[in-house]
Short mmCIF file of all heavy atoms in Angstrom, two decimals:
data_model
loop_
_atom_site.label_atom_id
_atom_site.label_comp_id
_atom_site.label_asym_id
_atom_site.label_seq_id
_atom_site.Cartn_x
_atom_site.Cartn_y
_atom_site.Cartn_z
N ALA K 61 -1.69 33.17 11.74
CA ALA K 61 -2.95 32.50 11.33
C ALA K 61 -2.75 31.56 10.08
O ALA K 61 -3.29 30.46 10.01
CB ALA K 61 -4.10 33.44 11.24
N THR K 62 -2.06 32.06 9.21
CA THR K 62 -1.90 31.36 7.86
C THR K 62 -0.94 30.13 8.19
O THR K 62 -1.32 29.08 7.67
CB THR K 62 -1.13 32.33 6.95
OG1 THR K 62 -1.91 33.50 6.75
CG2 THR K 62 -0.89 31.56 5.54
N GLU K 63 0.06 30.20 8.94
CA GLU K 63 0.87 29.02 9.20
C GLU K 63 0.20 28.05 9.98
O GLU K 63 0.39 26.95 9.77
CB GLU K 63 2.31 29.61 9.90
CG GLU K 63 3.06 30.33 9.09
CD GLU K 63 4.48 30.82 9.89
OE1 GLU K 63 4.60 30.40 10.98
OE2 GLU K 63 5.15 31.45 9.17
N GLU K 64 -0.54 28.53 10.98
CA GLU K 64 -1.36 27.48 11.79
C GLU K 64 -2.44 26.80 10.90
O GLU K 64 -2.60 25.57 11.08
CB GLU K 64 -2.18 28.27 12.84
CG GLU K 64 -2.84 27.49 13.77
CD GLU K 64 -3.43 28.29 14.95
OE1 GLU K 64 -2.72 28.86 15.72
OE2 GLU K 64 -4.66 28.15 15.14
N ALA K 65 -3.10 27.44 9.95
CA ALA K 65 -3.99 26.78 9.04
C ALA K 65 -3.19 25.73 8.19
O ALA K 65 -3.71 24.69 8.01
CB ALA K 65 -4.72 27.82 8.15
N ALA K 66 -2.00 26.15 7.78
CA ALA K 66 -1.19 25.17 6.95
C ALA K 66 -0.90 23.99 7.79
O ALA K 66 -0.82 22.82 7.29
CB ALA K 66 -0.10 25.96 6.40
N GLU K 67 -0.39 24.26 9.00
CA GLU K 67 -0.01 23.08 9.86
C GLU K 67 -1.14 22.19 10.24
O GLU K 67 -1.06 21.02 10.34
CB GLU K 67 0.74 23.57 11.14
CG GLU K 67 2.04 24.13 10.83
CD GLU K 67 2.69 24.71 12.07
OE1 GLU K 67 2.04 24.69 13.18
OE2 GLU K 67 3.78 25.32 11.86
N GLY K 68 -2.32 22.83 10.49
CA GLY K 68 -3.53 22.12 10.92
C GLY K 68 -4.17 21.32 9.83
O GLY K 68 -4.88 20.49 9.95
N GLY K 69 -3.91 21.82 8.64
CA GLY K 69 -4.42 21.13 7.29
C GLY K 69 -3.69 19.93 6.99
O GLY K 69 -2.81 19.48 7.77
N ALA K 70 -3.93 19.49 5.91
CA ALA K 70 -3.19 18.20 5.39
C ALA K 70 -1.86 18.54 4.72
O ALA K 70 -1.59 19.70 4.33
CB ALA K 70 -4.05 17.52 4.51
N ALA K 71 -0.93 17.66 4.82
CA ALA K 71 0.29 17.77 4.21
C ALA K 71 0.17 17.76 2.69
O ALA K 71 -0.91 17.33 2.28
CB ALA K 71 1.28 16.60 4.65
N GLU K 72 1.16 18.04 1.94
CA GLU K 72 1.07 18.07 0.49
C GLU K 72 0.73 16.70 -0.01
O GLU K 72 1.41 15.71 0.38
CB GLU K 72 2.41 18.59 -0.07
CG GLU K 72 2.43 18.75 -1.58
CD GLU K 72 3.73 19.19 -2.07
OE1 GLU K 72 4.44 19.92 -1.49
OE2 GLU K 72 3.97 18.84 -3.33
N GLY K 73 -0.17 16.74 -0.95
CA GLY K 73 -0.63 15.47 -1.51
C GLY K 73 -1.66 14.70 -0.63
O GLY K 73 -2.18 13.59 -1.11
N GLU K 74 -1.96 15.19 0.53
CA GLU K 74 -2.92 14.48 1.35
C GLU K 74 -4.18 15.35 1.53
O GLU K 74 -4.13 16.47 1.24
CB GLU K 74 -2.28 14.25 2.91
CG GLU K 74 -1.06 13.32 2.75
CD GLU K 74 -0.44 13.16 4.10
OE1 GLU K 74 -1.15 13.29 5.11
OE2 GLU K 74 0.64 12.72 4.23
N ALA K 75 -5.15 14.83 2.17
CA ALA K 75 -6.33 15.67 2.39
C ALA K 75 -6.98 15.07 3.81
O ALA K 75 -6.54 14.12 4.25
CB ALA K 75 -7.42 15.35 1.35
N THR K 76 -7.83 15.77 4.19
CA THR K 76 -8.58 15.49 5.56
C THR K 76 -9.40 14.34 5.23
O THR K 76 -9.84 14.16 4.03
CB THR K 76 -9.25 16.74 6.13
OG1 THR K 76 -10.25 17.13 5.07
CG2 THR K 76 -8.29 17.72 6.51
N ALA K 77 -9.88 13.60 6.24
CA ALA K 77 -10.72 12.44 6.04
C ALA K 77 -11.99 12.76 5.24
O ALA K 77 -12.42 11.98 4.45
CB ALA K 77 -11.08 11.84 7.37
N GLY K 78 -12.53 13.85 5.43
CA GLY K 78 -13.74 14.22 4.79
C GLY K 78 -13.61 14.57 3.36
O GLY K 78 -14.62 14.53 2.54
N SER K 79 -12.46 14.99 2.95
CA SER K 79 -12.19 15.47 1.53
C SER K 79 -11.02 14.79 0.94
O SER K 79 -10.31 15.32 0.19
CB SER K 79 -12.10 16.87 1.63
OG SER K 79 -10.81 17.25 2.25
N PHE K 80 -10.89 13.53 1.28
CA PHE K 80 -9.74 12.63 0.66
C PHE K 80 -9.88 12.51 -0.78
O PHE K 80 -10.94 12.07 -1.27
CB PHE K 80 -9.64 11.47 1.38
CG PHE K 80 -8.46 10.52 0.89
CD1 PHE K 80 -7.19 10.83 1.20
CD2 PHE K 80 -8.67 9.47 0.12
CE1 PHE K 80 -6.13 10.12 0.73
CE2 PHE K 80 -7.68 8.67 -0.43
CZ PHE K 80 -6.33 9.04 0.06
#
Side-chain angles (χ1 to χ4, degrees):
T62 303
E63 289 180 3
E64 185 176 301
E67 289 175 3
E72 184 178 332
E74 297 179 20
T76 57
S79 65
F80 180 71

